[in-house]
Amino acid sequence: MLLYNIKIGIRNILRQKVYSFINIFGLAIGICIFILIGLYVNNEYSYDRFNPNHERVVRMEFFNWCVIPPGVGHLMNNQLADIEKICRYTVLFNKILIHDSDDVKFKNSVSVKTGGLVDSTFFDVFGVKLLSGDKKNCLLDPNSIIITNSLAKKMFGDKNPINKIINFENLAKLKVTGVLDDSENFHMMADYYIPLSIFYKVQGKAEMESLRSWNYLTYLLLKNKNYDKSDLQNKIFNFLKEQDKNRDLITKGWNPTDIVIRKLTDIYFFKEAHAEAGVFHGNKPVVKAFVIIAVFIILIALINFINITTARAAIRAREVGVKKVVGATRKRLIRQFITESLIISFAAMLLGLTFLQILLPEFNNLTNTNLQLQDSVFSIYGIIGIILLTLFIGLLAGIYPALYLSLFKTMKVLKGEVSRGKSAGKFRVALIVFQFIIATILISGTIIVNKQINYIKNKDLGFNKENLLHFVLKDKLSQTKNEFKSKLLENPNIKGVSFSHGTPGYTRNTNTMKWVDDVDPIETRVSSGDPDFVEALGIKIIEGRNFDWNLETDKRKTCIINKTLADMIGLDNPIGHKVNDKNNSWIKDASFSIIGVFKDYHLESLHTVTPPMAIFWSDQANFQGSIKINSKNIKETMKYIEEVWNEFVPGFPFEYDFADQRFDKMYKGEERTQKITVYFSILAIFIACLGLFGLSAFMTQRRFKEIGIRKVLGSSIGQIVSKLSKEFAIIVLISNIIAIPLAWFVLDSWLQDYPYRISVPWWPFPIAFIITLVIALLTVSFHSLKAALSNPGDAIRYE
C-alpha cells in the first residue's frame, strides 16, 4: 500500500508541474532559511558550553560592576568550602609580540589585538582545550605565555612553538609553554594569556591584593552545580565583611544581594555589563528576531502549500469520489494525501539543502561566523534531525488538505454538486492576509532599521572625527613624546598632535568620586589629556577654560568636566569649585579645582549614554596619541608620520586607526543585521508572491468561462483585469490595516534598546502598503491579463 501511495503521489505531482514546482520551490527556500538560522542560533547559544564544568562556573560581580578588586579573589582563595577554584582575568589590548630567532620563518613582530592575564587555575575553571603543553604547569612560571594556534602559525609557521622565546614589547622575555585551540566559542577568547603572577613583579604585592582597584573579572568554580545562590551570596558577604575588619572597608553599607552571582552561560548575552572589557557578547534580541523570521518564512511556505492544495479541491474531488465508490476508506485517502505531501516535503528538503550549501559561505560573511555543515547538518544526529524536520513539515503541510479533501460526499461529487467550499475559501483568505501582514512588517521594519542605523552613524559625536587618527605609544616613546610631537608638527599637513590617557572609543577608567559634600558620590569616567587634546579633537569648551601650557599649576591640580557631570553636580557655577577626593592617582594631593566645562562628546558607540566625565592633565598617565591631519595629501602625510615613528620607535610597526573608522566598526553588527533583514524580507515576499502566483493562476482558470462571457457581453480588458484584481487589493488593504499597528509596536519596542534613537515615522507604512499592493497586483494581473486577452470562444464553447 505504501508503494502504491508513493506511485500515485509522484504521478499527481508530475501531472500538475506548475503547482508542484511552486510548492517544492517555496518549501525549499523556507527550509533552507529555517536550517540556516537554526545553525546560527545554535552557534550563538553554544558559547561556553564546551566547558565540561559550565554548570559549576559563575562570575562574581559587585552591584552593576563586572570588574572587582584583585584582592577579593586573593582573600577568598581556599577559604570557602563551596568554592573549588578561583580565576581572575584582566585584558591587555594592542600589544606587539616579537620573535628574533633566525632559524624559523616568522613575522618579526606581530600586533595582537587582545591578550589576557590569568591565574594558574585558568584551565581548571574554563576547560579550554590545550593542543600543546601541560595544563597543570604551563601557567606556573610568571615569565611564560600560552598562545592560540592561529597566533602560533603567524609567528612560527609550521615549527613547534613550545619553549620559544617571545619578546613582549621589549618589556619582558616570555617562554611559550602552551598552544590553545582557538576554535571554541569562548566568551573571553584572547590571542594569548600570561600568568597574572607576573604583575606581582611589575605592580607589587600590595597592588595585586588591593581591595580598591576595580579592574579584574573574577570567576568561581563551585564544587556543586546545584548550588543555592542566596546561600552562596551570604557566605561570600559574611567572609568579606569579616576580612574588612583589618583592611580597607569595601562592604560598608552593603547587603548580600549586592554580590552578584552570574552563570557562565549567561555572560555571552549579558550586554549590560558595566566596566567590562575583553569579552565577546552576542545580541540576544537579534537572535530572537532571526528565530521569528525563520518561523515566519517556513509558515509562509506552508501556507502556500495549503492554499494551493485546498484551492484545487474541486479538481481532486472527482478523484476522491471515484476512489470512495471502489471502496477507498477515509483513512486510506488521508494516507494517500499525506504521502503526497511527504514526497513534496522530501523533494523540497533535498533542494533546500542544495540551496543551503550555496548560501552558507555568504551567510558566514554576513554574520561573521564560521558555520560548518559537516559537523552539524551532515552528522548522524544532523541527518536524523533533517529527516524528522522533513516528516514534521510534510505532516504539518498535508494534514489539513488531506482532512479537507477526504470529507467530500461521494454522490454529490459524482453528480458535480461539490461545494466550492466557502469555509475553505475564508480560511485561504485568512492565510493570505497573514502572509501580507508578515510582508508589511518586514518591509516597514527594514526601512526603519535602515533609518536608525543611518541616524546613529551620522549623529554629531561632539568631536570632529574627520581626518583624526589615534595610536598607542610604544616602547620608550612615552619618554620622548615631546620630541616626537615637535618632529611631526614640522609637516604643514599635520594640524595638531595631542597625548592622552583615553581617546573616543577607548576611554574606560572609572572612579567613584565625591564632587560636592552634600551630593552622593558619582561614578565618573576619568581620563587625562594635555592642553592640545581639546583642540585636536575639536571639543567645545562651553564654560571656563581649557588647560594652559603656560600654567604649571594646571598639571594634576585642575580638571575640566563634561556637561553631563556639571548637571549631576548641580552647582550654579562649577568653575573654580574645589573638590576634595583622594581616590584619584592623577592629582598631586586630595584637592583640585574645576576650571572648565566642555560639551558632551561620545566616548563609545551610541548604544550607551554619554557618562559623566572628568579630564585631568597628568603627563605620566598619557599613553595614547591623536594626530589631526589635513584632508589633502593624506597619503604623503601618513608616509611622513610613519617615517618619524620608525625614527623614534624602531622595530615597532606604526599601528593606528582613524576615528571615523573606529566608530564605523562599532556598528558592524547593526549593518550585518540590516543586510540580513533585507535579504530575509525579500525572500519572505518572494515566497509569498510565489504562492500568490500559483493561487491566482488557479483561481483565474476557475473563472475562465466567466471571463469569456463578460467579454462577449462587452466588458473591456481593463474592466476584467480590474474585477479579478479587486479582491486581492482588498486583501492587501486588510492586511496592512492589521499589520501597521503591530509593526509600529514591534519597531518602537526594538528602538527602546537605543539610548539615542529616532521616533517611529509614519511614512514607511504607506510605502509598505504600496509595495505590497503593487507586488500583489502585478502577480495577480499577470494571469488576469492573460485570461482577458484569450479568445472568449474557447471559454464558452461548451456552454
Side-chain angles (χ1 to χ4, degrees):
M1 183 58 68
L2 178 61
L3 291 176
Y4 171 79
N5 286 337
I6 292 174
K7 181 180 177 180
I8 295 298
I10 294 173
R11 184 180 297 170
N12 285 325
I13 291 169
L14 294 176
R15 184 182 297 129
Q16 299 292 332
K17 293 181 176 62
V18 173
Y19 302 112
S20 298
F21 171 79
I22 289 171
N23 279 333
I24 292 172
F25 191 72
L27 269 177
I29 295 175
I31 289 169
C32 172
I33 300 303
F34 188 82
I35 296 175
L36 199 62
I37 293 179
L39 291 174
Y40 173 76
V41 171
N42 180 68
N43 179 72
E44 289 293 288
Y45 278 97
S46 69
Y47 269 79
D48 295 305
R49 295 182 187 275
F50 68 89
N51 185 347
N53 298 320
H54 68 266
E55 293 180 298
R56 294 198 289 137
V57 178
V58 298
R59 187 170 74 185
M60 184 169 66
E61 305 166 8
F62 291 163
F63 305 98
N64 62 339
W65 281 71
C66 297
V67 289
I68 64 176
V72 174
H74 168 75
L75 287 174
M76 291 173 54
N77 193 33
N78 297 321
Q79 296 300 312
L80 293 174
D82 297 271
I83 301 173
E84 184 175 317
K85 300 280 184 180
I86 296 176
C87 182
R88 295 168 295 175
Y89 170 83
T90 190
V91 68
L92 299 172
F93 287 115
N94 301 317
K95 300 300 181 182
I96 303 294
L97 305 185
I98 305 170
H99 178 53
D100 297 322
S101 175
D102 296 326
D103 61 349
V104 295
K105 294 180 179 179
F106 65 94
K107 293 185 177 180
N108 185 52
S109 59
V110 177
S111 174
V112 184
K113 184 178 180 180
T114 308
L117 289 147
V118 294
D119 282 314
S120 59
T121 54
F122 175 74
F123 290 102
D124 299 314
V125 174
F126 296 110
V128 180
K129 185 178 179 181
L130 194 66
L131 300 178
S132 304
D134 181 4
K135 285 186 177 182
K136 294 182 179 179
N137 301 315
C138 64
L139 287 170
L140 295 180
D141 183 355
N143 290 94
S144 61
I145 183 172
I146 55 175
I147 60 178
T148 61
N149 190 44
S150 57
L151 180 58
K153 290 185 180 300
K154 281 184 183 180
M155 299 192 71
F156 303 100
D158 295 330
K159 300 292 183 180
N160 183 8
I162 299 297
N163 294 326
K164 297 291 191 297
I165 302 299
I166 290 178
N167 181 342
F168 186 82
E169 292 212 324
N170 286 341
L171 297 175
K173 301 281 188 176
L174 305 176
K175 183 171 69 174
V176 179
T177 55
V179 178
L180 287 169
D181 181 3
D182 53 353
S183 62
E184 301 286 8
N185 283 353
F186 186 25
H187 80 277
M188 62 177 201
M189 191 66 189
D191 294 293
Y192 63 87
Y193 296 94
I194 299 172
L196 196 56
S197 55
I198 197 172
F199 263 24
Y200 278 83
K201 293 182 178 180
V202 178
Q203 296 184 346
K205 181 179 179 181
E207 181 66 24
M208 290 307 300
E209 297 177 5
S210 167
L211 296 177
R212 285 292 182 182
S213 180
W214 294 47
N215 48 16
Y216 285 81
L217 298 173
T218 302
Y219 296 83
L220 314 177
L221 174 63
L222 306 179
K223 290 186 177 179
N224 191 340
K225 68 178 181 180
N226 299 316
Y227 61 91
D228 184 305
K229 182 179 176 181
S230 297
D231 182 59
L232 183 61
Q233 287 173 314
N234 283 316
K235 288 179 179 178
I236 293 175
F237 174 77
N238 292 331
F239 174 79
L240 293 178
K241 190 173 182 180
E242 181 66 25
Q243 294 298 315
D244 266 348
K245 292 180 179 179
N246 301 316
R247 292 177 171 83
D248 294 335
L249 290 176
I250 63 168
T251 59
K252 185 178 180 180
W254 286 22
N255 295 308
T257 53
D258 294 329
I259 299 172
V260 178
I261 303 298
R262 193 174 307 283
K263 293 180 180 179
L264 177 66
T265 50
D266 291 342
I267 294 173
Y268 179 65
F269 285 120
F270 180 59
K271 294 192 73 173
E272 296 77 19
H274 189 69
E276 183 188 67
V279 171
F280 294 104
H281 284 298
N283 194 327
K284 199 167 189 177
V286 169
V287 174
K288 289 182 177 179
F290 281 4
V291 171
I292 293 171
I293 290 172
V295 172
F296 277 175
I297 288 178
I298 200 73
L299 281 176
I300 289 173
L302 293 173
I303 287 170
N304 287 345
F305 182 93
I306 295 170
N307 268 345
I308 293 174
T309 305
T310 54
R312 295 180 62 244
I315 295 175
R316 302 293 298 271
R318 288 187 178 88
E319 175 192 342
V320 172
V322 171
K323 287 184 175 181
K324 282 189 173 184
V325 168
V326 298
T329 63
R330 188 185 177 205
K331 288 183 179 180
R332 182 175 295 179
L333 289 170
I334 290 174
R335 284 199 296 267
Q336 178 196 321
F337 293 126
I338 290 291
T339 301
E340 188 175 318
S341 175
L342 288 172
I343 293 170
I344 291 175
S345 180
F346 272 98
M349 179 62 72
L350 293 175
L351 185 58
L353 291 175
T354 303
F355 291 158
L356 181 63
Q357 294 181 73
I358 296 171
L359 293 177
L360 186 60
E362 181 60 26
F363 186 78
N364 279 332
N365 289 333
L366 285 173
T367 56
N368 197 30
T369 54
N370 187 30
L371 305 177
Q372 301 291 331
L373 297 180
Q374 290 78 8
D375 300 329
S376 53
V377 175
F378 296 142
S379 65
I380 294 176
Y381 293 109
I383 292 172
I384 293 173
I386 291 297
I387 293 173
L388 292 176
L389 178 62
T390 306
L391 292 172
F392 176 75
I393 290 173
L395 291 171
L396 190 63
I399 190 67
Y400 175 76
L403 292 172
Y404 176 73
L405 291 170
S406 64
L407 281 172
F408 287 140
K409 301 298 182 183
T410 306
M411 294 308 295
K412 288 186 177 181
V413 168
L414 294 179
K415 288 180 180 180
E417 298 176 0
V418 63
S419 170
R420 299 219 175 208
K422 290 184 179 180
S423 61
K426 291 178 181 178
F427 183 62
R428 286 196 298 274
V429 170
L431 293 178
I432 295 172
V433 167
F434 181 69
Q435 283 184 319
F436 277 99
I437 288 174
I438 295 173
T440 299
I441 292 174
L442 289 175
I443 292 171
S444 56
T446 300
I447 294 171
I448 291 172
V449 167
N450 183 67
K451 187 172 176 62
Q452 172 64 19
I453 291 173
N454 288 336
Y455 171 77
I456 61 177
K457 288 180 68 176
N458 297 310
K459 186 181 182 296
D460 180 18
L461 298 176
F463 70 97
N464 189 352
K465 64 180 181 178
E466 303 301 324
N467 303 314
L468 176 69
L469 62 93
H470 303 299
F471 60 94
V472 177
L473 277 62
K474 296 293 182 182
D475 201 24
K476 298 179 181 179
L477 191 58
S478 296
Q479 287 76 46
T480 59
K481 59 178 181 282
N482 292 330
E483 293 82 358
F484 177 70
K485 177 178 181 179
S486 298
K487 186 72 173 178
L488 288 176
L489 291 174
E490 291 178 8
N491 188 313
N493 288 317
I494 296 177
K495 301 167 68 174
V497 180
S498 171
F499 299 108
S500 60
H501 182 270
T503 54
Y506 195 71
T507 305
R508 297 187 175 89
N509 197 73
T510 303
N511 280 357
T512 301
M513 302 180 66
K514 194 168 185 64
W515 291 89
V516 181
D517 290 340
D518 56 350
V519 175
D520 290 337
I522 299 171
E523 288 183 7
T524 307
R525 194 69 61 89
V526 180
S527 187
S528 168
D530 64 26
D532 290 334
F533 180 74
V534 167
E535 183 178 354
L537 271 68
I539 299 169
K540 295 180 181 179
I541 300 291
I542 55 179
E543 291 183 57
R545 64 177 178 87
N546 184 26
F547 302 117
D548 192 330
W549 283 110
N550 297 317
L551 294 177
E552 187 68 21
T553 52
D554 278 359
K555 285 186 178 181
R556 302 180 68 187
K557 289 187 177 182
T558 61
C559 75
I560 56 177
I561 62 176
N562 68 353
K563 180 68 164 54
T564 294
L565 179 55
D567 292 341
M568 293 177 71
I569 291 174
L571 297 175
D572 292 334
N573 181 16
I575 306 302
H577 174 69
K578 287 191 175 295
V579 181
N580 294 298
D581 191 304
K582 64 180 180 179
N583 190 27
N584 192 333
S585 60
W586 294 348
I587 56 176
K588 287 186 176 180
D589 50 45
S591 177
F592 60 91
S593 301
I594 299 173
I595 61 171
V597 177
F598 58 90
K599 181 182 177 182
D600 288 348
Y601 71 90
H602 288 279
L603 306 177
E604 298 159 354
S605 74
L606 270 69
H607 295 112
T608 56
V609 178
T610 302
M613 182 183 184
I615 300 177
F616 295 82
W617 177 13
S618 176
D619 282 334
Q620 65 266 34
N622 296 338
F623 71 94
Q624 295 191 74
S626 303
I627 303 176
K628 186 74 172 179
I629 64 175
N630 199 311
S631 58
K632 299 178 180 179
N633 303 317
I634 292 179
K635 186 176 181 180
E636 291 79 2
T637 305
M638 294 307 301
K639 183 179 179 182
Y640 176 80
I641 294 173
E642 190 165 357
E643 289 173 351
V644 176
W645 173 274
N646 291 333
E647 179 183 337
F648 279 81
V649 199
F652 284 81
F654 177 55
E655 295 191 314
Y656 63 92
D657 57 352
F658 281 95
D660 54 352
Q661 295 175 351
R662 177 183 286 185
F663 273 79
D664 285 344
K665 289 178 183 177
M666 297 178 184
Y667 306 117
K668 288 298 181 184
E670 273 79 8
E671 290 177 355
R672 288 194 293 267
T673 302
Q674 178 186 22
K675 289 180 181 179
I676 294 171
T677 303
V678 170
Y679 293 153
F680 286 164
S681 299
I682 292 172
L683 284 172
I685 294 168
F686 174 75
I687 297 172
C689 289
L690 201 62
L692 193 59
F693 182 85
L695 188 60
S696 62
F698 180 77
M699 294 178 71
T700 304
Q701 183 183 357
R702 289 278 299 273
R703 301 176 70 175
F704 193 54
K705 292 177 182 179
E706 176 192 337
I707 292 168
I709 294 170
R710 287 183 181 277
K711 286 192 71 175
V712 170
L713 294 176
S715 294
S716 66
I717 293 174
Q719 288 174 325
I720 292 172
V721 172
S722 175
K723 174 70 176 176
L724 296 175
S725 302
K726 182 179 178 181
E727 57 186 271
F728 284 99
I730 293 173
I731 289 173
V732 172
L733 178 61
I734 294 171
S735 302
N736 276 266
I737 290 173
I738 298 172
I740 287 173
L742 288 175
W744 186 92
F745 176 77
V746 170
L747 292 167
D748 187 66
S749 300
W750 178 74
L751 288 169
Q752 296 296 332
D753 292 333
Y754 289 89
Y756 305 94
R757 48 160 288 186
I758 61 171
S759 298
V760 179
W762 62 268
W763 54 266
F765 302 111
I767 290 177
F769 170 67
I770 292 170
I771 291 174
T772 51
L773 181 62
V774 169
I775 289 172
L777 292 181
L778 285 176
T779 306
V780 174
S781 296
F782 174 82
H783 296 292
S784 301
L785 187 61
K786 182 179 178 182
L789 290 172
S790 63
N791 185 356
D794 296 335
I796 61 177
R797 181 176 300 162
Y798 301 105
E799 290 296 323

